[in-house]
Amino acid sequence: MADKQQPLQARDKLAFLLSLVPWLMDHDGATVSAAAKHFGMTPAQIREAVELIAVSGVPGETDSYQHEDLFDINWDAFEERDEIVITNLVAIDDSPRFSAREAAALIAGLQYLSALPENADRAAITSLMSKLSRGASSTPSQVGVEGAVATGAIDAGAEHRAVAPDPIAPTLALIRASVEHGVQLELDYLNSQGQRERRRVDPLRVESIDADWYLRGWCHLREAVRTFRLDRISNAVITDEPIQHRAGDSDVRLPDVLFEPSPDDLEVTIEVVPSAMPLLADYIPDGATSVEHDGRIRTTVRVSHYHGLKRLIASMPGVATVVAPPSARAAVQSWASSGAARYR
Amino acid sequence: MSPSPSPAAASRVPVEERLFSLVLALLATESGLTKNEILSTVQGYRQRYSSGGDNANLERQFERDKDDIRDLGVPLETLDSPGDAGNNQTMRYRIPRGAYELPQDISFSSDETTLLNLAAMVWREGSLSGESRRALLKLRSLGVVPDEPIIGYAPRLRLRDAAFEPLSSALEKHLIVRFAYLKPGEDAAREREVIPLALVQYQGRWHLSAEEVDGGPGHGPQKTYLLRRIVGPVSTGKAVAPHLGDHAAAALAGLEAVWEDGVAEVQVVRESDAATRLVNRRGTERLESDSVASAGEERLRLHWVDANILADELAGFGPEVLVLSPPWLRGAVIARLERTAADHG
């Protein structure tokens, strides 16, 4: 997924300048566009940085920034051919270390991704994490994510326990193998109405939000791009049928957001305690009005079917209540009371 | 193309140019520069420096810049002048090259670079997104080109809990924090004052591992708080001596031990949403039971870490799940279902 180009803050710009100089030293004569591609910047951002580097330096013995105290570049090559050739170097020899928080963010990110088949080699990941730790200017901050536990990377002192593997790991491995071999994936899927169907899918992208993982793929049954929750997939196998759609194909539109509103969605008015609002954020459409009412917030949620709504509301007892329409209230009431009836 | 020394140009020296010039000047000096030397000679300061006049604003600017540079992982060091310790006019500043540069023996392969790109992508929102963006710039500085991935990944960790940002910043600075915490089943939130040790995400939820203040660092009992149960703002108090250790790993191992001990048995409707999702949950075991198989059901043994969250989840499955044990969980799920039914009657 292409990241949106964001305006850089001064700290980002400084990190970029300190990173660009050593790269330019190793890539003498690199073009502006090559640098832009490598760093994920625009050519204008590269030019601006090079122009700043070219006039920067140290106060020097005279305290007055003499010519020999400044970086310099071959201006002709830069202005005429967009090539970056540094002709005088000052102060910087090598890439900077990571900060404690930067290293922590990458280490925690690696832990989180431990279910990915790319991460299967635990020894390699452990060595990568230790390199990040050693490459930080101080001890990485204490931020951790469960994945490391799920795959047994954490050594809890003398106590070595066999930990249960993450059940989505085999599915992730199958998805990757399907793309690697160019063949379709076949799986059982429980759709949002609760029906189980055998689907054939061309995998396009794997996405996740916290502990929930999703496959975006071209569904040959629906003949459209669909999102599949990994924990609703069972009996996945690789077929002999070649993949027909790939990410980037002109007829494949992969929306940036995971949950796309559909014109068939149902709108339901609910009341929810304020602290639970973040849990419902995915269901609240943009521009929905929220009104405070007796310490509760009255707002609108959008759902594809009451099948999902009744489960959502029943998992937030006393916290969220459906106000309207009456058919939605009845669906939740009937779901909860038939659940309670099992115990009588 | 030498920089203009004229005062008119002063306001036009961009922030990044001043910070970059400061890093270059401090990297280039072996013996260090005094504050006065920095303010009077370094690009971006010198244009605003008044010799013999009042430079209080400029000094404050320098203090903020030092913090910014250190936040980026640049080791800005101070050296006391011999025989004049603690005097901040004679104190010298420098950036030792060895502590600034990535050690020579650290390099990353294409595979590793690919993984690190993914790891950084995880933090697309929230306070760590800037950190991972800057970490990637430094990684790219090494010139390694990542492998073309076989399939695209778009992983994401969410930081929706308002408490995450203030807690993570307090954790960094070793500050005591205060917040109101609402335990399930209690009517009102209670004020807590703790020393943060680690922030960990376990089963999709952020937890704070912290130490009670009473015992002092390294002595108080350690507790785990669920961030979503923190009510209202987090305030910070005084700094404490850092209590070193791999607290994140310890907190995760602690939660994992709780998870392992927490066991529940349920009966589910075969091929229902409940059956599919609970079977796909880590640690779930299918139990042999011929008596329920004929009724189109199956029995599962689940692990859990938080009783209230488990009861909420199971209640959501309505009639697809029947809790068998433990008895209190049965009672908690029945109460939830009855409450929802009554609220919608």
Side-chain angles (χ1 to χ4, degrees):
Chain A
M1 189 180 349
D3 285 321
K4 287 195 190 74
Q5 206 74 48
Q6 291 162 332
L8 298 180
Q9 297 159 355
R11 279 198 296 174
D12 290 327
K13 287 186 179 176
L14 176 59
F16 177 46
L17 292 168
L18 298 175
S19 303
L20 182 60
V21 171
W23 186 83
L24 289 173
M25 288 162 58
D26 290 340
H27 297 79
D28 200 28
T31 61
V32 168
S33 61
K37 182 167 180 278
H38 183 73
F39 281 94
M41 301 269 175
T42 63
Q45 285 171 318
I46 300 289
R47 275 192 207 95
E48 191 192 348
V50 170
E51 281 163 12
L52 173 53
I53 291 166
V55 299
S56 294
V58 297
E61 281 175 18
T62 59
D63 283 345
S64 60
Y65 289 93
Q66 291 302 299
H67 187 72
E68 62 274 18
D69 303 321
L70 300 174
F71 279 96
D72 202 2
I73 61 165
N74 180 336
W75 285 95
D76 289 343
F78 184 60
E79 282 166 358
E80 285 159 27
R81 299 190 298 278
D82 249 3
E83 285 171 13
I84 312 163
V85 180
I86 298 188
T87 55
N88 193 43
L89 272 169
V90 185
I92 293 181
D93 292 329
D94 264 310
S95 300
R97 286 176 183 253
F98 299 108
S99 75
R101 270 166 71 94
E102 288 163 4
L106 292 182
I107 290 170
L110 285 173
Q111 292 176 350
Y112 173 61
L113 296 172
S114 63
L116 292 186
E118 285 79 356
N119 263 343
D121 184 351
R122 295 313 305 169
I125 298 302
T126 307
S127 124
L128 180 52
M129 288 183 186
S130 99
K131 279 200 268 186
L132 289 170
S133 239
R134 281 197 300 123
S137 55
S138 51
T139 312
S141 337
Q142 291 296 318
V143 178
V145 184
E146 180 191 3
V149 176
T151 45
I154 283 179
D155 178 7
E159 200 185 349
H160 282 278
R161 287 177 279 108
V163 282
D166 197 328
I168 61 153
T171 313
L172 285 168
L174 272 181
I175 293 169
R176 187 179 192 269
S178 146
V179 177
E180 196 170 12
H181 301 118
V183 288
Q184 298 174 14
L185 199 62
E186 197 176 279
L187 47 90
D188 283 339
Y189 193 68
L190 269 181
N191 67 16
S192 62
Q193 272 106 62
Q195 290 138 4
R196 184 181 286 258
E197 290 171 327
R198 194 79 183 151
R199 316 278 270 280
R200 274 189 298 110
V201 179
D202 296 341
L204 301 171
R205 186 161 77 205
V206 170
E207 300 198 11
S208 70
I209 297 177
D210 296 332
D212 301 328
W213 288 76
Y214 304 84
L215 166 66
R216 317 284 299 268
W218 179 274
C219 173
H220 289 275
L221 188 66
R222 298 280 183 273
E223 298 195 319
V225 173
R226 285 289 183 268
T227 300
F228 304 91
R229 256 188 87 107
L230 258 53
D231 67 357
R232 287 202 168 116
I233 292 176
S234 7
N235 308 318
V237 291
I238 286 182
T239 66
D240 299 328
E241 291 290 316
I243 280 177
Q244 289 165 14
H245 300 84
R246 288 182 172 78
D249 286 1
S250 58
D251 60 335
V252 172
R253 199 184 64 89
L254 210 48
D256 269 349
V257 288
L258 205 44
F259 308 104
E260 256 206 319
S262 140
D264 303 331
D265 284 348
L266 307 165
E267 292 209 338
V268 175
T269 307
I270 61 161
E271 273 184 5
V272 58
V273 300
S275 61
M277 280 291 277
L279 302 177
L280 292 168
D282 285 333
Y283 302 91
I284 301 173
D286 290 340
T289 51
S290 297
V291 189
E292 181 108 17
H293 185 80
D294 277 346
R296 295 190 149 218
I297 293 169
R298 184 173 281 211
T299 188
T300 305
V301 290
R302 188 179 263 164
V303 293
S304 61
H305 199 275
Y306 287 167
H307 176 86
L309 176 77
K310 64 192 182 189
R311 286 156 202 272
L312 176 69
I313 300 297
S315 71
M316 302 173 78
V319 171
T321 317
V322 174
V323 178
S327 58
R329 276 180 69 84
V332 176
Q333 202 280 335
S334 143
W335 183 246
S337 48
S338 59
R342 289 206 62 164
Y343 295 89
R344 282 185 212 116
Chain B
M1 296 282 312
S2 68
S4 164
S6 79
S11 57
R12 278 190 265 126
V13 175
V15 185
E16 64 272 18
E17 181 172 355
R18 184 181 69 236
L19 295 176
F20 186 49
S21 302
L22 179 58
V23 172
L24 293 177
L26 296 181
L27 265 174
T29 170
E30 196 68 34
S31 53
L33 300 175
T34 64
K35 195 195 297 185
N36 207 50
E37 283 166 344
I38 292 168
L39 302 185
S40 61
T41 65
V42 173
Q43 174 73 355
Y45 298 100
R46 64 190 177 121
Q47 288 86 347
R48 290 158 60 191
Y49 180 77
S50 146
S51 64
D54 175 24
N55 289 297
N57 280 336
L58 203 53
E59 289 193 26
R60 277 194 293 276
Q61 180 71 69
F62 174 63
E63 294 304 317
R64 286 194 296 271
D65 289 350
K66 272 195 317 188
D67 288 344
D68 275 358
I69 284 174
R70 284 186 173 136
D71 274 354
L72 280 182
V74 174
L76 198 157
E77 212 179 61
T78 53
L79 303 169
D80 277 330
S81 180
D84 200 8
N87 179 345
N88 78 4
Q89 295 307 318
T90 57
M91 188 186 275
R92 307 179 79 80
Y93 298 88
R94 63 167 196 169
I95 298 170
R97 195 165 287 278
Y100 168 83
E101 290 169 352
L102 197 67
Q104 286 292 338
D105 64 327
I106 292 185
S107 61
F108 299 98
S109 67
S110 294
D111 285 356
E112 290 177 327
T113 305
T114 307
L115 282 176
L116 293 175
N117 274 311
L118 279 177
M121 198 196 262
V122 164
W123 305 101
R124 269 173 294 163
E125 53 185 75
S127 60
L128 290 177
S129 66
E131 258 70 26
S132 53
R133 195 167 59 234
R134 292 188 282 274
L136 279 190
L137 289 174
K138 294 179 182 176
L139 185 67
R140 288 180 185 145
S141 171
L142 302 171
V144 183
V145 178
D147 288 337
E148 209 50 52
I150 287 179
I151 180 163
Y153 290 108
R156 182 188 300 243
L157 277 173
R158 245 177 206 171
L159 298 169
R160 283 219 164 133
D161 299 296
F164 186 91
E165 174 55 39
L167 288 175
S168 123
S169 145
L171 185 62
E172 205 64 32
K173 297 173 184 144
H174 310 289
L175 301 179
I176 289 177
V177 293
R178 280 176 74 89
F179 52 80
Y181 192 70
L182 182 61
K183 261 185 126 167
E186 288 180 4
D187 289 338
R190 235 167 11 100
E191 200 69 26
R192 309 294 172 109
E193 192 178 22
V194 297
I195 302 163
L197 297 176
L199 281 162
V200 295
Q201 202 201 58
Y202 189 78
Q203 299 192 344
R205 286 174 284 271
W206 283 101
H207 299 74
L208 169 72
S209 166
E211 203 169 74
E212 297 207 330
V213 171
D214 304 346
H219 300 287
Q222 294 187 7
K223 295 240 168 99
T224 303
Y225 302 89
L226 202 52
L227 262 61
R228 70 158 73 153
R229 293 189 182 136
I230 293 177
V231 193
V234 174
S235 58
T236 51
K238 66 176 173 35
V240 290
H243 171 195
L244 297 178
D246 198 345
H247 303 299
L252 286 170
L255 286 163
E256 182 72 2
V258 172
W259 176 88
E260 207 152 288
D261 289 344
V263 175
E265 288 188 11
V266 300
Q267 189 168 316
V268 292
V269 177
R270 258 185 209 285
E271 307 215 332
S272 64
D273 192 43
T276 311
R277 294 182 63 182
L278 292 175
V279 165
N280 275 328
R281 204 171 130 118
R282 186 166 69 91
T284 298
E285 266 177 86
R286 284 190 152 113
L287 303 175
E288 293 297 324
S289 174
D290 295 339
S291 61
V292 300
S294 56
E297 304 216 328
E298 61 183 323
R299 289 190 169 170
L300 307 175
R301 181 181 290 131
L302 315 171
H303 286 273
W304 53 271
V305 74
D306 185 293
N308 285 283
I309 289 171
L310 176 70
D312 285 348
E313 282 174 359
L314 295 178
F317 290 120
E320 291 175 358
V321 170
L322 175 71
V323 178
L324 302 172
S325 69
W328 59 259
L329 179 64
R330 229 175 123 89
V333 171
I334 295 171
R336 280 164 167 76
L337 290 165
E338 285 175 345
R339 167 85 198 257
T340 302
D343 284 350
H344 293 82

